[in-house]
Amino acid sequence: MIILLILQNKSVRERTSGKLKTAGHEVILAADSVEAVNFLRSHQADLVLTEVEIGDVDGWRLSRLIRSGILASSKDLPILLVTENHCERIAETTARMFDINKVISYQELDLVVDVVGQVVADQGNFNKPLDILVIEDTEDTANLVQRMLKHKFNIDIAYDGVSGIKAFREKSYDIVLLDIMMPGMSGDEVLDVIIELNPKQVVIAMTAHGTIDLAELMLVKGAADYIQKPFKAEQLRKVCDIAAKREDFIVSNEQFAAKTLELKNEQQKYYSLSKTHYRILDSLSSIVIEVTAKGRILFLNNAWYKCTGFMVSESIGKLFTDFIQDSSFLLKHNIEESFSQLLCGKRQHDQIEVKLIKNDGGYFWCEINLNPYFDESGKIVGISGTIDDISVRKKAEQRLKHVALHDTLTGIHNRYYFDNELKNVASIATRTGIFHSLIYLDLDHFKIINDSQGHHQGDLVLKEIARLLSERTRASDTLCRIGGDEFAILLTNTSVEDAEKVALEICQTIADSSFKFADQVYKVSCSVGISVIDGKAISSEIYLQQADIAMFAAKEQGRNRVHLFTEDDNVTDELKQSFEWAQKLQKALLEDNILLYFQPIIDVKTREIEYYEALVRLQVDGKVILPGEFIPSLEKAEDMTLLDRHVIGKALNLMKSYPVLTKVAINLSAQAFGDDRLLAYIEEKLNQYSIEPSRVIFELTESASLSNLTGTQRMVNRLNELGCGFSIDDFGTGFSTFSYLKQIPAESVKIDGSFVKDMLKDPTDAALVKAIHETAQALNKKTVAEFVENEQTLIKLSELGVHYAQGYHISKPMDIKGLEDSRTQLNPAVVKVC
């Protein structure tokens, strides 16, 4: 079957076509009436399926055009109409008037195959002739009616009331023509039966002249119309046509009444739902907004009034940008651009943070989430969104930002802020050639306050120092706490001379100030370093390093003073080298380029090896560097603790791996005895490598121990409790009396090598060696002589009773491989190899 399908909606057209094709039909698609008429001019179709709105020629008129017979297709071509309101009787009546075979709704298009089958089978078609039952006892009249109506209606005749009722029971009729005056069962009696069987049956009463009262009675009993005898053909056809449409009109009215009631109910539901939605919208804390393409407000909920104080009614119609606190052109342009992007579909969502003004003159931060909204066809028609008060979040962000950029203790800027500002200032200096200055200051002996009075009192002092510095800092300058008791000031567009004046004033101000808290009064001073930000450094960190070195130089020169960094300054040059050595040490530690050499210490009497002293070396660029070249620099840089820990760990590891290291002496720096965590580290490593503590001796120079006598005593006692030995190195070079030996619980004392190597030539040195040995022996301590460079010195030491000796005459320091092959490395004339 060839079906001409005329539907304007492409997706509906394709879906319907697919169903028909699946059923085996050939489908010709037409988007409008022009395409449909052009096809029907020259082609045949078996069925037309169309909707009403198909262009200039609508579906009704297309039907009349087909029925006129002027097209190529048959005028009896079945037509199936798709309409929205087919359920209304008026639509079916209209379809019948235009000879439409059947009407279905868009919702029924999924059943299109079945409906097409019904149309082809002539089932339920609207253009079939109506059936009329004529109940007339006069044969001539009955025949006359049949001749008048046979061209439009199907006629059945009954010649009396009984046979008429029988026919009515057997078949359904659209119209009944009933004579009133009949013998036997009268017309009104027949009408009573018919109406009882079908109250909606259309009955036309036929009356003779003079029986008008009876005709009125028939109408009262339920007849739809009447016609007087004798009648003309036109009169009869007109009455029948009206009667045929009467049922359509009655049903249509009922349907319209029902539809009206349904719409009223739906409207009430919509109104109720709308009120509910409005209540929900008004209960929201978020503002709901709708704006036009031009940015004018179309809708707002009550949250708008709660947040801004402006009435909703007075805000509708105004530009949304009128309520933005920042009325700058750029911000308004950005918002308008956002509207434009949303309306043209380039964005599906946008989020903006702005400050909205309030009716009382204030403002609040808000977050606006905007989305386009669409009509039923999918076209963007406007913008809607929500507005949320984010003032609390903004305040939290500002607090977080303040915390991120400020020191929590003093309230001034912190190291993070300083680093960024230093980069900016250095960049400006590079571009413009304008000089700036950096002041870097460190409080002198501040650690004493923390250690003696606690960190709380120290914090109070730092707060007061920050206040003093703030009072002496210009608005254009930047004051920061770098960390601990260190502060930095960036002086913009400031010469070196002016920077030195500021630094000297700061030194004097702090030195003249006293800080009293409760009953405690504290005095502190500061050492200040200055570097010039001239734009020549490869990075901003260089300027900080220079100021740091200059600050250390100020401390080296006696503290409470100012020092300017210059490239040709000897003091800063030495400190630079110290820091460079510290960096090299850190790199060597990371790359495991710290080497340990071992020098044997022998029993003077038996000449047998008692233990070994571990001596550190630094390997840099393939060269082995001796301690004298880097230890002083590391001590100045106060970076010895890293080396101490690495040497301890490596020495104990070698003791585990090489049995030849039966006992080892390890040197510690003075800084080690200020490290509270060192003892735990030593104990951890002893356990890790399964080393008996008695196999380890720790050494500390006399001068180093004197710098922190209390700390040294505490550390030595704890090492002794652990089981390790302790020895005083280089004894005799310090300024203590021999009573110092009583205060340090050491097992042995090393006699400084400067006395030992010249004792054969210098009687004074010999007397000192003897005195040190005798004093140590009196305190039940062993003595060790360093720098034994010949046999005569070794013999002399034996005569004095010195217990142990070490030096080049016995053996030079060796790495672990050389130590394993000690038979070839040791002096066989001196050392007995067991």
Side-chain angles (χ1 to χ4, degrees), residues 156-175:
D156 289 337
I157 299 175
Y159 292 101
D160 56 48
V162 175
S163 59
I165 292 173
K166 180 182 178 184
F168 185 81
R169 291 180 185 274
E170 294 174 352
K171 183 178 177 179
S172 176
Y173 291 92
D174 297 294
I175 300 172

Side-chain angles (χ1 to χ4, degrees), residues 161 165 178-180 182-196 214 217-218 221:
I165 292 173
L178 176 63
D179 186 19
I180 297 176
M182 290 188 299
M185 195 174 187
S186 65
D188 63 312
E189 292 174 334
V190 174
L191 178 61
D192 288 339
V193 175
I194 289 175
I195 295 301
E196 184 178 355
L214 189 56
L217 174 65
M218 295 290 284
K221 286 192 172 187

Side-chain angles (χ1 to χ4, degrees), residues 393-497:
R393 192 187 83 193
K394 276 294 182 180
K395 289 179 181 178
E397 288 177 358
Q398 291 171 357
R399 287 196 297 269
L400 288 174
K401 184 177 180 180
H402 184 276
V403 170
L405 300 179
H406 290 77
D407 175 50
T408 55
L409 176 65
T410 62
I412 62 177
H413 288 298
N414 59 12
R415 175 64 182 268
Y416 176 79
Y417 182 86
F418 170 79
D419 288 339
N420 288 327
E421 285 300 297
L422 181 58
K423 287 179 183 177
N424 293 335
V425 172
S427 177
I428 293 171
T430 302
R431 294 196 310 269
T432 64
I434 298 174
F435 284 18
H436 311 280
S437 297
L438 170 60
I439 291 178
Y440 190 92
L441 67 91
D442 181 88
L443 301 181
D444 299 326
H445 305 301
F446 178 75
K447 190 174 184 297
I448 296 174
I449 298 176
N450 274 341
D451 291 345
S452 62
Q453 303 300 326
H455 289 278
H456 175 68
Q457 297 286 42
D459 289 346
L460 295 176
V461 173
L462 290 175
K463 287 181 180 179
E464 284 299 304
I465 294 292
R467 184 185 62 79
L468 288 174
L469 295 175
S470 298
E471 292 174 352
R472 284 154 183 79
T473 304
R474 300 175 303 180
S476 59
D477 300 331
T478 303
L479 169 65
C480 304
R481 182 186 176 204
I482 301 300
D485 58 347
E486 300 171 357
F487 297 84
I489 305 174
L490 281 169
L491 304 175
T492 56
N493 197 16
T494 304
S495 65
V496 174
E497 294 77 14

Side-chain angles (χ1 to χ4, degrees), residues 670 673-675 700 703-714 744:
F673 285 79
D675 185 357
L700 182 69
S703 57
S705 60
L706 281 171
S707 66
N708 185 8
L709 184 59
T710 302
T712 301
Q713 289 174 324
R714 182 171 60 250
I744 302 298

Side-chain angles (χ1 to χ4, degrees), residues 786-806:
E786 298 179 304
F787 291 7
V788 178
E789 297 179 351
N790 51 63
E791 181 65 20
Q792 291 78 12
T793 301
L794 189 56
I795 293 171
K796 182 62 176 177
L797 290 171
S798 179
E799 293 174 355
L800 292 175
V802 173
H803 302 93
Y804 307 112
Q806 69 182 114

